[in-house]
Amino acid sequence: MPTDHVTRRGMLQGGAALAAAPAILSQAQAAAPRTGKGAPMIPVELTVNGREVHVPVDPRTSLLDMLREHLHLTGTKKGCDHGQCGACTVIVEGRRINSCLTLAVMHDGERVTTIEGLGTPDRLHPMQKAFIVHDGYQCGYCTPGQICSAVAVLEEIEAGIPSHVTADLDDVAVNEAELRERMSGNICRCAAYPNIIAAMRDVAGEKQA
Amino acid sequence: MKAFTYERATSVEAAARAAASVQGARFIAGGTNLLDLMKLQIETPTHLIDVNHLGLDRIEETPDGGLRIGALVRNTDLAADRRVRRDYAVLSRALLAGASGQLRNKATTGGNLLQRTRCPYFYDTRMPCNKRQPGSGCGALQGMSRSLAILGVSDACIAQHPSDMAVAMRLLDSAVDTMDANGARRSIPIADFHLLPGDTPQQETVLKPGEIITSVTLPRPIGGTHVYRKVRDRASYAFALVSVAAVFGKDGTARFAFGGIGAKPWRVEAADAAAGRGAKAVAEAALAGARTTHHNDFKKMLVERTLASVYRQREARA
């Protein structure tokens, strides 16, 4: 394998013999238009985490793959790739969605917020801070999706959007049952659920104060 | 995923024309079901027509006091609409019982009506499935059929219709409004919209090639106590084993529709007529002609028990 074609996936498949080589992901290579028998590339313009980006994509490219493979925003994770686990949750035009189940080309002109856009290591989003304080994760793989979802859930409650467990459809409030129900699209294999709920209640409490 | 070309439609008419003229074209709205199936190559469209920007995302009152729901209204917005919460609570409840918050933010009214079955044999491309590959046989009949339908089924297919929303819309006698490639509009009673499998389970609706759903119209509110009860394998984010949509009138009448048990959203007049005689009588009427397998025979008792729970919920609210 020529060294200028080293990718992280190739590294993992290559095993121990390549383990010592530097894992350099060539930006140019990853962002280059793919050719072959696919349909022509389509230019997509989006605002991602406040930054305008212009990316030509194969129409098949999911929003998730565009974020990860083209823009190298690898905070958003690919779990099941079928909308079942929620690891890919991002916020588009103010709403949380599964980025794996939507095409990048469908979001031309829209605003996307990923975990990288919520906060930085120096300036954490309150929800990120709360996840750390309450130990809302173990392995961390689902965490970016959990946090994006959690941020949007509190906004949905504030907007008065009811849920399956809302007793009176016109009286929407923050409580444990509501948070658990609304977070059911985010699976955590480590089962950090109680601590995720604690983090969310903490942030919701701060907001109300 | 197979390669396809993509266009953003600029008008409903243009979308319908494009869909009728390009072989293998499909509309894409929320995409939550279609893209999932495209990744598995169960759906292999050659051309996608994006209908997200056609102005079909409004909920308007009709002259006769009903509500016209644009086909692109997201499940979240429909469930949260003030008028739907107040006058069609069973529809709000059904929507909120389905999928996850992320999916409801994307999934649309029209797309929900057109979602494909969750039969595991439809999803497993190594298995025979008359719906996926006509004439290949049905893997479910002798297979794992626990989740599958017991009403409206045939020797060719026992797949269940997965929608919660459509069950409530069936209960409310909604109509599906469409436009075809010639610009002609029609309004299809939801009872007639979905087809039973018979010998052609691949044909799921009465829509013609190119015909696009523009809206769903709800008749004027019927009042009463609205209940949607869904029984599933986990507390949230799972398809129904059995679901019951019900509206109880003040005069002792009631109407019922069922999810999880039918090849399409299920409603029979005899079940409504049995309302005064309680859950057991309603279940018996609703289940007339049921055809079960060893695995899904339990659904008959579950229907009766879910109805009993629905009656108790009604009493608690009265």
Side-chain angles (χ1 to χ4, degrees), chain B residues 190-205:
Chain B
I190 194 166
D192 305 330
F193 182 76
H194 293 103
L195 296 170
L196 292 180
D199 295 329
T200 53
Q202 71 277 16
Q203 289 173 17
E204 297 176 351
T205 70

Side-chain angles (χ1 to χ4, degrees), chain A residues 57-122:
Chain A
V57 294
D58 181 301
R60 287 172 287 187
T61 312
S62 66
L63 178 62
L64 171 63
D65 283 343
M66 192 204 74
L67 292 169
R68 288 181 54 85
E69 308 297 334
H70 295 252
L71 302 177
H72 308 297
L73 292 168
T74 54
T76 308
K77 297 295 186 258
K78 183 180 281 193
C80 68
D81 210 24
H82 286 280
Q84 295 168 9
C85 76
C88 68
T89 303
V90 299
I91 299 168
V92 177
E93 293 290 312
R95 296 198 153 192
R96 58 179 171 143
I97 64 167
N98 299 112
S99 63
C100 74
L101 280 189
T102 194
L103 298 172
V105 289
M106 294 165 70
H107 296 282
D108 189 47
E110 295 185 354
R111 288 171 301 123
V112 181
T113 302
T114 69
I115 189 71
E116 292 93 340
L118 283 178
T120 63
D122 299 330

Side-chain angles (χ1 to χ4, degrees), chain B residues 222 224-225 247-256 272-276 311 314:
Chain B
I222 54 171
T225 303
V247 174
F248 293 92
K250 286 204 173 81
D251 55 358
T253 62
R255 53 169 88 179
F256 304 93
D272 296 0
Y311 271 86
R314 190 272 308 251

Side-chain angles (χ1 to χ4, degrees), chain A residues 150-202:
Chain A
V151 167
V153 160
L154 296 189
E155 285 168 5
E156 286 163 16
I157 292 174
E158 215 163 88
I161 294 170
S163 86
H164 176 59
V165 299
T166 309
D168 175 350
L169 287 174
D170 291 321
D171 184 11
V172 182
V174 175
N175 59 53
E176 178 160 347
E178 284 283 355
L179 298 182
R180 291 180 71 92
E181 159 62 23
R182 289 167 191 268
M183 291 296 286
S184 69
N186 291 84
I187 309 296
C188 173
R189 189 60 274 176
C190 308
Y193 302 113
N195 295 359
I196 292 169
I197 299 300
M200 291 177 71
R201 298 189 78 169
D202 195 348

Side-chain angles (χ1 to χ4, degrees), chain B residues 25 61 94 104 123 137 161 164 202 220 232 247 258 289 307 310 318:
Chain B
E61 282 155 41
R104 289 192 297 271
Y123 263 78
H161 195 274
D164 292 294
Q202 71 277 16
R220 54 184 308 153
R232 43 187 162 175
V247 174
F258 301 85
L307 276 162
V310 165

